[in-house]
Amino acid sequence: MPFDAYFKELYAIAEQGDAREESFYPALADMLKSIAERTGRKHVRVTMLPKPTDAGNPDFRLWNGSDRVIGYVEAKRPEEHLDAIEDSEQLGRYRATFPNLILTNFCEFRLYRNGERVQTVLAARPFAMTHLRTVPPVEKADELQALLDRFLDFSLPKVFTAASLAVELAKRTRFLRDVIAEQLALEAEQLALKKDAPGILTGFFEAFQTYLIGTLTPEDFADLFAQTITYGLFTARIRANGAFSRRAAFDNIPHSIGVLRDLFRFISLGDLPEQLAWCVDDIAEVLAVADAPGILDRYYHEGKGSDPIVHFYETFLAQYDPAERERRGVYYTPEAVVDYIVRSLHGILKTDFDKPDGLAAKGVTLLDPAAGTMTFIARAAALAVAEFEEKYGAGGRADFIRHHILKSFYAFELMMAPYAVGHLKMSFLLEELGHRLCDDERMPFYLTNTLDNEELEHSRLPGFSALAEESRLAGRVKQETPILVILGNPPYSGHSTNVGKWIRRLIETYKQVDGQPLGEKNPKWLQDDYVKFLRFAQWKIEQTGCGVVGMITNHSYLDNPTFRGMRQSLMQTFDDIYILDLHGNALKKETCPDGRPDKNVFDIRQGVAIAFFIKHGGKTKTPAAVRHAELYGTRESKYAWLGAHDAKTTRWRKLTPRAGSYLFIPRDESS
């Protein structure tokens, strides 16, 4: 057994007198290699990580040298007591992330599976080496051999559901985020000391700051970049045939999604820092062993179960960072809500805009300015294709998708994870509808900040041209392309980070009512993201001259006094306004009129409403006609009602908003 030689080597190192923790690493690495070779595991490679901080990766990675990670080892000095280490924040992160982990002080070995300690072996007494100054005798060689066999035999499970795979990816992405933050800080230190050119991560950070989010912090960048890597790998894995790894990912990123290809030219082909490479390899291996294509295939091609993309996005965010999800106001829109809005818009185009084919009509342009995973666009595309096929047959379906959907159904998104997944989702959906995307085709779904309309110069940063091009294409849609239909579920965030000059200038319109300032001491609610997205939609329809907006948002603007200028402005721009108040406001403790509980259609406490704003063109000074309907009850009853109705079959009540308050809810204002 190699254990005798191992402990003799440890003793020799300790006797040198100035031994640091890292001094013992080679002895442990040699012992692990020897055990692997003696037991027929000659494929096992042991890699030591020279880490610059204590918060990065574990000290050792055992893997096959290409695409399979076996496990990790975290080592501490021989005199360290492992009970204290086990309870530390650092080891808590490791245990939460890595399913096969050993903690050791070179004499005691603790094996963890999925965060739980499953075996402990005290193979020798550190006291003998550190105080008695003698070679510690091996006490439990057989038990140590069994523990190491168990460690070396580990492999990831091959059966994942969409939800369980999302959880595994979220754990690793959270760890990757921390490593990226550390590497970025290290690059900043090196840049300050050596005055060298910026590191590659710093380059990405500056590019994202320039072309996406001007207020981006290093912490936010680490979050965004980590999610981008994970969902880029996921996209590549779905397209990959055969073996999959970090190195293989680049070849499977669609050529038409240049932003991801720029990033993966670095991730797959570049010289990654070892810490970063370990993390990305680990995520790639999870995807390699999981039947990721099969998970999606079972839904899209067999029609079973619910949308796995939804499981991924929601489950991933809930596991990855629930506070971030709530802060950004990101929640998946229920199918019944999407269906009601899209079918209603389809009908409004027919009745109000002389478009007999609705969403399938030539010349109809559509935009979701906060598209997420493309839920609204996907439903609109499916309805448009169904309308076309019903009227004109299936023969021209592929050409219809190519020339109408791919040319006229636009979408914007700021967050990289849903951007990557949204492109993936649409490629599957369009194939199901009758058109497989060619290598040079893509949905006009752009990574951009909808609420930032400043002109940006072309990138001077080498390797980041795609991000600049994406920004340019989105800018053309914002500035030049007439949009007839705007729809979606914009984020609700009272503490908005969208503070650009352009959107703040537009919001100033809402701070006036009847030609006078609002007089509010703190009109902060006008800075909520959903208000800004509604203002963007209003501005864009004004640019087009006619059109319709269909959105679900926070319902506070319907009657809150702070929004009276907003309500008046909307009435001045549009000809017809339809408000379907879905209530569900737990913050106000809303109940049904008969006293029964009233539930939200989302898992949030803020009440919501669906609104349609219609502008026919040739608007006179007559304010919009405002109509109102409302829905109380259980979540399930609301879903059922929405699934069975649209704007045409909804029983609307006409309101007469009174000057000064311009309320969008029924209220006796005669007094």
Side-chain angles (χ1 to χ4, degrees), residues 342 346 349 357-369 371 374 376-385 400-412 423 426 429-430 433 442-446 477 481-485 487:
V342 172
H346 187 53
L349 287 172
D357 295 340
L359 290 167
K362 186 176 181 180
V364 168
T365 50
L366 178 144
L367 170 67
D368 185 341
M374 297 285 273
F376 281 89
I377 297 291
R379 183 69 188 98
L383 187 55
V385 170
F400 171 75
I401 292 172
R402 189 179 299 113
H403 297 298
H404 185 59
I405 305 297
L406 294 184
K407 301 294 184 185
S408 303
F409 281 35
Y410 300 96
F412 298 155
H423 272 290
M426 289 306 297
L429 176 68
L430 292 176
L433 293 176
R442 63 172 284 179
M443 282 294 296
F445 177 26
Y446 301 121
V477 176
T481 305
I483 298 295
L484 190 64
V485 180
L487 78 172

Side-chain angles (χ1 to χ4, degrees), residues 509-555:
T509 304
Y510 290 170
K511 295 181 180 179
Q512 299 279 324
V513 63
D514 294 329
Q516 299 296 320
L518 279 178
E520 297 278 336
K521 290 183 178 179
N522 185 18
K524 64 177 182 178
W525 300 120
L526 290 174
Q527 298 304 319
D528 196 304
D529 274 342
Y530 85 89
V531 177
K532 292 175 180 176
F533 275 93
L534 278 174
R535 184 67 185 94
F536 167 84
Q538 179 185 2
W539 169 82
K540 188 61 183 170
I541 295 297
E542 286 176 328
Q543 300 303 304
T544 302
C546 63
V548 55
V549 178
M551 286 183 168
I552 182 167
T553 69
N554 182 327
H555 72 175

Side-chain angles (χ1 to χ4, degrees), residues 258-550:
V259 175
L260 283 181
R261 286 188 68 81
D262 274 0
L263 187 149
F264 272 86
R265 192 171 283 108
F266 164 61
I267 295 298
S268 292
L269 309 179
D271 185 18
L272 262 66
E274 193 77 7
Q275 286 204 359
L276 197 57
W278 281 24
C279 294
V280 180
D281 284 340
D282 200 44
I283 294 170
E285 195 207 346
V286 171
L287 289 166
V289 301
D291 181 21
I295 289 172
L296 295 186
D297 188 71
R298 280 189 290 277
Y299 170 71
Y300 283 109
H301 299 294
E302 297 178 18
K304 296 179 181 178
S306 58
D307 189 340
I309 298 298
V310 174
H311 281 292
F312 261 92
Y313 189 41
E314 283 293 284
T315 309
F316 176 88
L317 282 179
Q319 178 78 21
Y320 173 72
D321 192 343
E324 172 70 4
R325 184 178 82 152
E326 184 170 350
R327 185 173 72 84
R328 288 190 180 273
V330 179
Y331 290 91
Y332 169 70
T333 313
E335 183 179 335
V337 172
V338 177
D339 206 39
Y340 177 88
I341 292 174
V342 172
R343 283 187 290 104
S344 295
L345 292 169
H346 187 53
I348 288 168
L349 287 172
K350 293 181 178 183
T351 58
D352 287 50
F353 292 90
D354 193 26
K355 302 287 185 184
D357 295 340
L359 290 167
K362 186 176 181 180
V364 168
T365 50
L366 178 144
L367 170 67
D368 185 341
T373 55
M374 297 285 273
T375 303
F376 281 89
I377 297 291
R379 183 69 188 98
L383 187 55
V385 170
E387 178 83 12
F388 176 87
E389 190 171 344
E390 181 182 338
K391 290 187 175 178
Y392 307 106
R397 184 172 56 185
D399 280 342
F400 171 75
I401 292 172
R402 189 179 299 113
H403 297 298
H404 185 59
I405 305 297
L406 294 184
K407 301 294 184 185
S408 303
F409 281 35
Y410 300 96
F412 298 155
E413 176 54 43
L414 179 62
M415 295 174 68
M416 281 292 296
Y419 169 79
V421 174
H423 272 290
L424 177 66
K425 176 175 181 170
M426 289 306 297
S427 69
F428 270 84
L429 176 68
L430 292 176
E431 183 177 348
E432 187 72 11
L433 293 176
H435 178 64
R436 183 182 180 88
L437 289 176
C438 300
D439 283 345
D440 61 346
E441 289 182 320
R442 63 172 284 179
M443 282 294 296
F445 177 26
Y446 301 121
L447 185 67
T448 186
N449 186 346
T450 300
L451 303 179
D452 187 351
N453 208 13
E454 304 294 329
E455 286 288 335
L456 294 170
E457 62 185 64
H458 203 72
S459 176
R460 296 191 302 270
L461 298 166
F464 303 102
S465 59
L467 193 55
E469 177 65 6
E470 194 91 350
S471 177
R472 187 188 68 80
L473 292 171
R476 182 188 296 173
V477 176
K478 294 177 194 177
Q479 295 283 4
E480 302 173 16
T481 305
I483 298 295
L484 190 64
V485 180
I486 299 178
L487 78 172
N489 172 23
Y492 323 155
S493 181
H495 303 287
S496 173
T497 57
N498 288 299
V499 293
K501 293 179 181 178
W502 182 78
I503 191 61
R504 283 193 287 120
R505 189 164 59 246
L506 284 183
I507 288 293
E508 288 299 310
T509 304
Y510 290 170
K511 295 181 180 179
Q512 299 279 324
V513 63
D514 294 329
Q516 299 296 320
L518 279 178
E520 297 278 336
K521 290 183 178 179
N522 185 18
K524 64 177 182 178
W525 300 120
L526 290 174
Q527 298 304 319
D528 196 304
D529 274 342
Y530 85 89
V531 177
K532 292 175 180 176
F533 275 93
L534 278 174
R535 184 67 185 94
F536 167 84
Q538 179 185 2
W539 169 82
K540 188 61 183 170
I541 295 297
E542 286 176 328
Q543 300 303 304
T544 302
C546 63
V548 55
V549 178

Side-chain angles (χ1 to χ4, degrees), residues 19 23 41 63 68 73 121 153 168 300 315 325 337 354 387 394 407 562 582 611 654 658:
S23 305
R41 302 178 177 97
W63 61 315
R68 179 175 166 250
V73 178
V121 176
D153 282 340
E168 290 303 314
Y300 283 109
T315 309
R325 184 178 82 152
V337 172
D354 193 26
E387 178 83 12
K407 301 294 184 185
T562 302
L582 297 176
K654 189 169 183 179
R658 185 176 177 180

